[in-house]
Every structure is written in C-alpha cells, then in structure tokens.
C-alpha cells in the first residue's frame, strides 16, 4: 500500500478555550477520494481550516507527502500542492471569471497558467462561455464551479472540498459529483467534506464520520453505505 499523501494523527484544535477537534486522525492515499461526513457543528470546517493552516493545531500532527505541515503558514501549504476550496465559494464577485481563475495560480502553477486554464475550461465549459463575465453575476452552481476551477489552477496534489454541494439544486448536485469524479480521474486526490451523505458515499473510496469533534466511525464507503444501522445512528438516515 502506498504511503499516505495526507496523514493526520491526534489532532486537537479549536477557538480560544473551546476545543472543537478532539484527537482526530485520518489518511488520504495518492489519487484517493475520502469523504468526511457529519452534521452542522460536528467540526468539519475546523478540520479543513486546520489542515490548510488557516487555524493552528493545539496539538497533533499533520503530514503531507511525509513532511510535517501543522506549523506552516497557509501560503507554504498551498505551495506544496494542498489546496482548500472553502465553504461558501469565496470568489471575488467584482472580478471576471478569468481573473478569478488567474488568482488561483498566484502561489503555485504560475508557469503553466495558460495550460491549466484550458484544462479548467475543459472540465467546466460554462466557465469558458462566461470567462469575461463578473463572477458575482454567475448562478450558485457556476460560482461553485469557479471556486473549484480556481483551486485546480494551483495544480493540486490534494484538493479539499468543503461542502461543495451546499445550496445547489438536486440537478446541479448530480452534475457536481460527476465533475468530482472527472477531477479524480486525472489523478488528483480529494478530501470531500460534506453533509450530502448519499452522493459522497457514491464517489468516495473510504469515509470517516465526524461527530462532536471525534471520528466515531471509519471504513469503506461501500460498507457504510450498505449498513442501515450505521446510517441511522450516525447520519440520521
């Protein structure tokens, strides 16, 4: 089995005196899709922010490509190829689609910006059609495509997607998860952090269930998907 691309052990993090993550650990192998599932308030966004360096771990280790990164700045983590697409899209509404994509290559991938933009447009043809349009005038689904496309501009080795289906219609959710599979087919590992249990378990190889800051269950996506007791107890299904 290959060495994990991302390996987290004993991770604690929170806000001030409030501990949110309570000793979590997970791994993501090269080219793998791993889902982290849980309800609002379970600690999913805190996990993402701590991995990407936006929040500082209280204790524990985060290793990416075998190097410790838990004390690195977000810009250094991006330069390594660990790219976080945050919840809420966080695009620049007054800039065009093309300008938003350009910013994705600011820290990493600058030398191949043109080629990477062509790849982003191939994955998201609607962005190509709207490349001169102000990002704030796009639909919610198109803005999510833009946020992911901007992440791809940095040539990720691992792409963290934080609630990418949030607020999208069922039809757009189906399209989004098909695009996630397409991105993974190019060899990019993904950490998919979601409340959309059904779709996430369809595309992921493995899954972790986060509850109150701890992983209460982990295993193959197929095992979790096919166990009604687990789904009812931990996922409210």
């Amino acid at each position: 089995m290959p060495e994990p691309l991302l390996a987290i052990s004993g991770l604690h993090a929170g806000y001030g005196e409030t501990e949110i993550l309570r000793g979590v650990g997970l791994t993501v192998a090269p080219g793998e899709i791993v889902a982290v599932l849980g309800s609002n308030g379970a600690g999913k966004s805190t996990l993402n922010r701590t991995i990407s360096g936006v929040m500082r771990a209280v204790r524990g280790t985060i290793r990416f490509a075998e190097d410790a990164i838990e004390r690195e700045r977000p810009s250094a983590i991006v330069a390594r190829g660990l790219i976080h697409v945050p919840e809420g899209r966080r695009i620049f509404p007054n800039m065009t689609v093309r300008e938003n994509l350009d910013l994705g290559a600011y820290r990493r991938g600058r030398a191949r910006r043109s080629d990477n933009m062509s790849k982003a447009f191939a994955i998201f043809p609607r962005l190509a059609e709207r490349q001169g349009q102000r990002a704030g005038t796009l639909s919610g689904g198109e803005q999510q495509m833009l946020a992911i496309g901007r992440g791809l501009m940095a040539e990720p080795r691992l792409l963290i997607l934080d609630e990418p289906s949030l607020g999208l219609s069922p039809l757009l959710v189906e399209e989004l998860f098909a695009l996630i599979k397409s991105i993974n087919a190019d060899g990019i590992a993904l950490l998919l952090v979601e409340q959309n249990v059904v779709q996430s378990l369809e595309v992921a190889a493995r899954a972790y269930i986060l509850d109150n800051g701890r992983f209460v269950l982990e295993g193959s996506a197929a095992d979790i998907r096919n166990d009604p007791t687990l789904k009812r107890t931990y996922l409210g299904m």
Side-chain angles (χ1 to χ4, degrees), residues 52-168:
S52 59
V54 176
M55 289 181 61
R56 183 59 59 90
V58 175
R59 62 182 182 274
T61 60
I62 306 171
R63 300 187 70 83
F64 183 68
E66 301 187 39
D67 292 323
I69 63 169
E70 65 271 5
R71 298 297 172 197
E72 290 194 345
R73 296 174 62 85
S75 57
I77 292 172
V78 168
R80 290 179 177 274
L82 196 163
I83 310 300
H84 177 196
V85 179
E87 179 184 352
R89 297 149 196 165
R90 310 286 178 88
I91 59 168
F92 295 93
N94 293 322
M95 299 175 70
T96 67
V97 167
R98 177 175 282 274
E99 288 167 342
N100 270 270
L101 290 173
D102 270 336
L103 285 176
Y106 176 76
R107 180 63 59 180
R108 177 180 165 91
R110 190 178 303 184
R112 292 165 295 280
R113 180 182 296 172
S114 179
D115 288 344
N116 291 335
M117 188 169 295
S118 295
K119 290 178 183 177
F121 286 152
I123 294 170
F124 303 110
R126 268 178 282 178
L127 297 183
E129 296 167 5
R130 292 159 173 76
Q131 59 186 284
Q133 187 173 326
R134 290 189 184 277
T137 66
L138 299 176
S139 70
E142 290 164 348
Q143 289 184 17
Q144 186 62 71
M145 293 175 191
L146 178 57
I148 297 173
R150 186 176 59 190
L152 293 174
M153 290 292 293
E155 300 179 347
R157 300 175 67 187
L158 172 64
L159 191 63
I160 301 175
L161 299 181
D162 191 349
E163 304 281 11
S165 71
L166 188 66
L168 301 185

